[in-house]
Amino acid sequence: MSEHTYDPEEMMVVAASRLLETDDVVFIGIGLPSKAANLARKTHAPHLSMIYESGTLDTKPTVLPLSIGDPELSRTAKAVVSVPEMFNYWLQGGWIKTGFLGAAQIDRFANLNSTVIGDYRKPKVRLPGAGGAPEIASFCHRTLVLLRQNPRTFVEKLHVMTTVGMLDGGGSRQKLNVPGHGPQAVITDLGILEPDTENGELALTHLHPGVPAEAAIEATSWPLRVADNLVETEEPTEKELEILRGLVPSETSNVAELIPSTADLE
Protein backbone atom coordinates (compact mmCIF):
# COMPACT_ATOMS: atom_id res chain seq x y z
CA MET A 1 0.00 0.00 0.00
CA SER A 2 1.25 3.46 -0.82
CA GLU A 3 1.72 6.16 1.77
CA HIS A 4 -0.66 8.62 0.08
CA THR A 5 -4.40 8.30 0.41
CA TYR A 6 -7.16 8.62 -2.17
CA ASP A 7 -10.89 8.04 -2.35
CA PRO A 8 -12.84 5.59 -4.58
CA GLU A 9 -13.84 8.35 -7.03
CA GLU A 10 -10.21 9.33 -7.55
CA MET A 11 -9.37 5.67 -8.16
CA MET A 12 -12.14 5.52 -10.79
CA VAL A 13 -10.87 8.62 -12.58
CA VAL A 14 -7.26 7.47 -12.57
CA ALA A 15 -8.18 3.98 -13.81
CA ALA A 16 -10.27 5.48 -16.62
CA SER A 17 -7.57 7.95 -17.63
CA ARG A 18 -5.02 5.15 -17.99
CA LEU A 19 -7.21 3.51 -20.65
CA LEU A 20 -6.83 6.55 -22.89
CA GLU A 21 -3.99 6.70 -25.39
CA THR A 22 -2.04 9.62 -26.72
CA ASP A 23 -3.58 9.28 -30.22
CA ASP A 24 -7.13 8.99 -28.82
CA VAL A 25 -9.95 11.17 -30.02
CA VAL A 26 -12.34 11.20 -27.07
CA PHE A 27 -16.00 12.22 -26.96
CA ILE A 28 -16.77 13.37 -23.43
CA GLY A 29 -19.29 15.15 -21.28
CA ILE A 30 -19.01 16.76 -17.87
CA GLY A 31 -18.10 15.01 -14.62
CA LEU A 32 -15.80 12.02 -14.16
CA PRO A 33 -15.13 11.51 -17.91
CA SER A 34 -13.98 15.13 -18.16
CA LYS A 35 -11.63 14.64 -15.23
CA ALA A 36 -10.27 11.38 -16.69
CA ALA A 37 -9.58 12.87 -20.12
CA ASN A 38 -7.96 16.01 -18.74
CA LEU A 39 -5.82 13.92 -16.39
CA ALA A 40 -4.68 11.70 -19.27
CA ARG A 41 -3.78 14.75 -21.39
CA LYS A 42 -1.66 16.15 -18.55
CA THR A 43 0.14 12.86 -17.88
CA HIS A 44 0.70 10.03 -20.36
CA ALA A 45 -1.39 11.19 -23.36
CA PRO A 46 -0.36 14.77 -24.19
CA HIS A 47 -1.64 14.56 -27.78
CA LEU A 48 -5.08 13.25 -26.86
CA SER A 49 -7.87 15.15 -28.66
CA MET A 50 -10.91 16.01 -26.55
CA ILE A 51 -14.30 16.62 -28.12
CA TYR A 52 -17.12 17.82 -25.91
CA GLU A 53 -20.79 17.28 -26.77
CA SER A 54 -21.35 20.96 -27.47
CA GLY A 55 -19.20 20.78 -30.61
CA THR A 56 -15.76 21.91 -29.44
CA LEU A 57 -13.02 20.11 -31.37
CA ASP A 58 -9.60 19.33 -29.88
CA THR A 59 -10.22 21.62 -26.94
CA LYS A 60 -7.56 22.12 -24.28
CA PRO A 61 -9.23 23.63 -21.21
CA THR A 62 -6.93 25.05 -18.57
CA VAL A 63 -9.59 24.43 -15.91
CA LEU A 64 -12.40 21.88 -15.61
CA PRO A 65 -15.49 23.14 -17.42
CA LEU A 66 -18.68 23.60 -15.42
CA SER A 67 -20.83 22.43 -18.34
CA ILE A 68 -20.52 21.51 -22.00
CA GLY A 69 -21.44 25.16 -22.70
CA ASP A 70 -18.60 26.56 -20.59
CA PRO A 71 -16.79 29.27 -22.62
CA GLU A 72 -13.48 27.73 -21.52
CA LEU A 73 -14.13 24.93 -24.03
CA SER A 74 -14.78 27.13 -27.05
CA ARG A 75 -11.98 29.53 -26.06
CA THR A 76 -9.37 26.75 -26.15
CA ALA A 77 -10.78 24.67 -29.05
CA LYS A 78 -9.30 24.41 -32.53
CA ALA A 79 -12.80 24.76 -33.91
CA VAL A 80 -16.42 24.85 -32.78
CA VAL A 81 -19.08 23.14 -34.91
CA SER A 82 -22.82 22.79 -34.55
CA VAL A 83 -24.27 19.86 -32.63
CA PRO A 84 -25.89 18.40 -35.81
CA GLU A 85 -22.49 18.51 -37.55
CA MET A 86 -20.85 16.95 -34.51
CA PHE A 87 -23.17 13.95 -34.60
CA ASN A 88 -23.83 13.65 -38.34
CA TYR A 89 -20.27 14.11 -39.58
CA TRP A 90 -17.70 13.64 -36.83
CA LEU A 91 -19.44 10.91 -34.83
CA GLN A 92 -21.35 8.98 -37.49
CA GLY A 93 -18.43 9.46 -39.87
CA GLY A 94 -16.26 7.30 -37.63
CA TRP A 95 -13.77 10.00 -36.64
CA ILE A 96 -14.08 9.48 -32.89
CA LYS A 97 -12.19 6.61 -31.29
CA THR A 98 -13.43 6.59 -27.68
CA GLY A 99 -16.73 7.66 -26.14
CA PHE A 100 -17.49 7.89 -22.43
CA LEU A 101 -20.93 6.90 -21.12
CA GLY A 102 -22.77 6.73 -17.83
CA ALA A 103 -26.25 5.48 -16.93
CA ALA A 104 -28.67 4.67 -14.14
CA GLN A 105 -28.61 0.93 -14.88
CA ILE A 106 -26.37 -1.55 -16.68
CA ASP A 107 -26.88 -5.26 -17.36
CA ARG A 108 -24.48 -8.16 -17.87
CA PHE A 109 -24.01 -7.29 -21.56
CA ALA A 110 -23.31 -3.60 -20.86
CA ASN A 111 -26.65 -2.41 -22.21
CA LEU A 112 -27.64 0.84 -20.47
CA ASN A 113 -30.76 2.49 -19.13
CA SER A 114 -30.96 6.26 -18.71
CA THR A 115 -34.70 6.64 -19.40
CA VAL A 116 -36.85 5.58 -16.41
CA ILE A 117 -36.78 3.55 -13.23
CA GLY A 118 -39.89 1.41 -12.99
CA ASP A 119 -42.66 0.94 -15.53
CA TYR A 120 -42.20 3.16 -18.58
CA ARG A 121 -45.81 4.42 -18.50
CA LYS A 122 -45.85 5.01 -14.73
CA PRO A 123 -42.20 5.34 -13.72
CA LYS A 124 -40.95 5.74 -10.19
CA VAL A 125 -38.24 8.05 -11.53
CA ARG A 126 -38.01 9.73 -14.90
CA LEU A 127 -34.38 10.16 -15.95
CA PRO A 128 -32.79 12.59 -18.44
CA GLY A 129 -33.12 10.11 -21.30
CA ALA A 130 -30.91 8.95 -24.13
CA GLY A 131 -29.34 12.19 -25.30
CA GLY A 132 -26.53 11.22 -27.64
CA ALA A 133 -25.71 7.95 -25.85
CA PRO A 134 -27.16 5.56 -28.49
CA GLU A 135 -25.13 7.26 -31.24
CA ILE A 136 -22.00 7.38 -29.10
CA ALA A 137 -22.31 3.67 -28.28
CA SER A 138 -22.93 2.84 -31.93
CA PHE A 139 -20.40 4.95 -33.81
CA CYS A 140 -17.39 5.43 -31.55
CA HIS A 141 -14.78 2.75 -32.14
CA ARG A 142 -15.13 1.83 -28.47
CA THR A 143 -16.97 3.07 -25.41
CA LEU A 144 -15.90 3.25 -21.78
CA VAL A 145 -18.58 3.26 -19.08
CA LEU A 146 -18.08 4.94 -15.71
CA LEU A 147 -20.47 3.80 -12.96
CA ARG A 148 -20.46 3.27 -9.22
CA GLN A 149 -21.11 -0.40 -8.56
CA ASN A 150 -24.14 -1.43 -6.50
CA PRO A 151 -27.11 -3.82 -6.97
CA ARG A 152 -29.51 -1.02 -7.98
CA THR A 153 -27.24 0.00 -10.85
CA PHE A 154 -25.83 -3.39 -11.91
CA VAL A 155 -29.15 -5.12 -12.55
CA GLU A 156 -30.28 -8.50 -13.87
CA LYS A 157 -32.77 -6.83 -16.22
CA LEU A 158 -32.97 -3.22 -17.37
CA HIS A 159 -36.26 -1.42 -16.83
CA VAL A 160 -35.75 0.13 -20.28
CA MET A 161 -32.91 -0.42 -22.75
CA THR A 162 -31.83 3.08 -23.72
CA THR A 163 -28.45 2.26 -25.22
CA VAL A 164 -27.23 -0.98 -26.79
CA GLY A 165 -24.03 -2.44 -25.48
CA MET A 166 -23.46 -6.05 -26.52
CA LEU A 167 -27.24 -6.57 -26.80
CA ASP A 168 -27.84 -10.27 -25.96
CA GLY A 169 -24.21 -11.30 -26.41
CA GLY A 170 -23.00 -14.01 -28.73
CA GLY A 171 -22.47 -11.65 -31.65
CA SER A 172 -26.01 -10.23 -31.54
CA ARG A 173 -24.65 -6.67 -31.65
CA GLN A 174 -22.65 -7.43 -34.79
CA LYS A 175 -25.72 -8.91 -36.47
CA LEU A 176 -27.30 -5.44 -36.27
CA ASN A 177 -24.35 -4.16 -38.35
CA VAL A 178 -23.52 -1.57 -35.71
CA PRO A 179 -20.11 -0.15 -36.73
CA GLY A 180 -18.45 0.35 -33.31
CA HIS A 181 -17.03 -2.38 -31.10
CA GLY A 182 -19.21 -1.36 -28.15
CA PRO A 183 -18.26 -1.12 -24.47
CA GLN A 184 -14.73 -2.31 -23.90
CA ALA A 185 -14.52 -1.54 -20.17
CA VAL A 186 -16.80 -0.61 -17.29
CA ILE A 187 -14.81 1.29 -14.67
CA THR A 188 -16.37 1.30 -11.21
CA ASP A 189 -15.41 2.29 -7.68
CA LEU A 190 -14.57 -1.38 -7.01
CA GLY A 191 -12.76 -2.51 -10.13
CA ILE A 192 -12.96 -2.89 -13.90
CA LEU A 193 -15.28 -5.17 -15.87
CA GLU A 194 -14.57 -6.15 -19.48
CA PRO A 195 -16.67 -8.06 -22.02
CA ASP A 196 -15.76 -11.68 -22.64
CA THR A 197 -14.33 -12.09 -26.13
CA GLU A 198 -16.57 -15.08 -26.87
CA ASN A 199 -20.05 -14.00 -25.76
CA GLY A 200 -19.72 -10.36 -24.71
CA GLU A 201 -20.78 -10.86 -21.09
CA LEU A 202 -19.05 -8.59 -18.59
CA ALA A 203 -16.46 -10.22 -16.35
CA LEU A 204 -14.51 -8.74 -13.46
CA THR A 205 -10.91 -8.42 -14.65
CA HIS A 206 -9.45 -5.87 -12.21
CA LEU A 207 -10.00 -5.11 -8.53
CA HIS A 208 -8.95 -1.81 -7.04
CA PRO A 209 -6.50 -2.02 -4.12
CA GLY A 210 -8.03 -3.28 -0.90
CA VAL A 211 -11.30 -4.38 -2.54
CA PRO A 212 -12.15 -8.10 -2.21
CA ALA A 213 -13.79 -9.91 -5.12
CA GLU A 214 -16.75 -10.68 -2.85
CA ALA A 215 -17.55 -6.96 -2.63
CA ALA A 216 -17.88 -6.67 -6.42
CA ILE A 217 -19.94 -9.87 -6.57
CA GLU A 218 -22.32 -8.65 -3.85
CA ALA A 219 -22.65 -5.28 -5.62
CA THR A 220 -23.92 -6.98 -8.78
CA SER A 221 -27.45 -8.33 -9.22
CA TRP A 222 -26.48 -11.02 -11.71
CA PRO A 223 -23.98 -13.84 -11.02
CA LEU A 224 -20.81 -11.90 -11.81
CA ARG A 225 -18.13 -13.80 -13.63
CA VAL A 226 -14.61 -13.33 -12.26
CA ALA A 227 -11.61 -13.68 -14.54
CA ASP A 228 -9.15 -16.44 -13.72
CA ASN A 229 -6.27 -13.99 -14.01
CA LEU A 230 -7.83 -11.28 -11.83
CA VAL A 231 -5.48 -8.28 -11.64
CA GLU A 232 -5.15 -5.64 -8.91
CA THR A 233 -5.35 -2.12 -10.30
CA GLU A 234 -2.22 -0.08 -9.71
CA GLU A 235 -2.74 2.59 -7.10
CA PRO A 236 -2.78 6.21 -8.20
CA THR A 237 0.69 7.67 -8.19
CA GLU A 238 1.54 10.80 -6.26
CA LYS A 239 1.87 12.67 -9.55
CA GLU A 240 -1.54 11.49 -10.80
CA LEU A 241 -3.23 12.56 -7.59
CA GLU A 242 -1.47 15.92 -7.58
CA ILE A 243 -2.56 16.68 -11.14
CA LEU A 244 -6.09 15.35 -10.60
CA ARG A 245 -6.59 17.44 -7.47
CA GLY A 246 -5.19 20.43 -9.31
CA LEU A 247 -7.95 20.23 -11.93
CA VAL A 248 -9.89 23.12 -10.42
CA PRO A 249 -13.39 23.75 -11.87
CA SER A 250 -13.87 27.01 -13.71
CA GLU A 251 -15.62 29.81 -11.88
CA THR A 252 -18.56 31.94 -12.92
CA SER A 253 -16.15 34.85 -13.05
CA ASN A 254 -14.73 33.36 -16.25
CA VAL A 255 -18.16 33.61 -17.81
CA ALA A 256 -18.71 37.11 -16.49
CA GLU A 257 -15.55 38.32 -18.21
CA LEU A 258 -17.08 37.45 -21.58
CA ILE A 259 -20.32 39.32 -20.94
CA PRO A 260 -20.17 43.05 -21.74
CA SER A 261 -21.23 45.42 -19.00
CA THR A 262 -24.05 47.90 -19.51
CA ALA A 263 -21.42 50.61 -19.76
CA ASP A 264 -19.86 48.84 -22.73
CA LEU A 265 -23.21 48.82 -24.50
CA GLU A 266 -23.85 52.55 -24.12
Side-chain angles (χ1 to χ4, degrees), residues 73-156:
L73 294 177
S74 57
R75 185 182 69 81
T76 59
K78 282 189 176 179
V80 181
V81 301
S82 68
V83 173
E85 179 180 331
M86 169 62 67
F87 280 86
N88 294 338
Y89 176 75
W90 295 97
L91 182 57
Q92 294 185 24
W95 295 101
I96 301 176
K97 180 177 179 181
T98 302
F100 272 109
L101 292 174
Q105 293 180 329
I106 185 171
D107 68 11
R108 70 178 69 209
F109 292 111
N111 302 302
L112 305 175
N113 169 29
S114 55
T115 304
V116 298
I117 299 298
D119 181 79
Y120 181 81
R121 292 171 180 78
K122 294 182 179 180
K124 295 179 181 178
V125 179
R126 186 169 294 281
L127 301 167
E135 287 81 6
I136 294 168
S138 297
F139 292 98
C140 288
H141 296 191
R142 65 169 181 166
T143 53
L144 304 176
V145 182
L146 276 166
L147 287 176
R148 292 171 180 82
Q149 195 165 351
N150 60 71
R152 292 183 301 173
T153 301
F154 284 64
V155 297
E156 180 72 40

Side-chain angles (χ1 to χ4, degrees), residues 6-23:
Y6 53 89
D7 60 39
E9 182 175 291
E10 289 175 326
M11 184 70 255
M12 285 179 70
V13 172
V14 170
S17 75
R18 291 170 178 168
L19 296 177
L20 300 177
E21 301 168 351
T22 196
D23 63 344

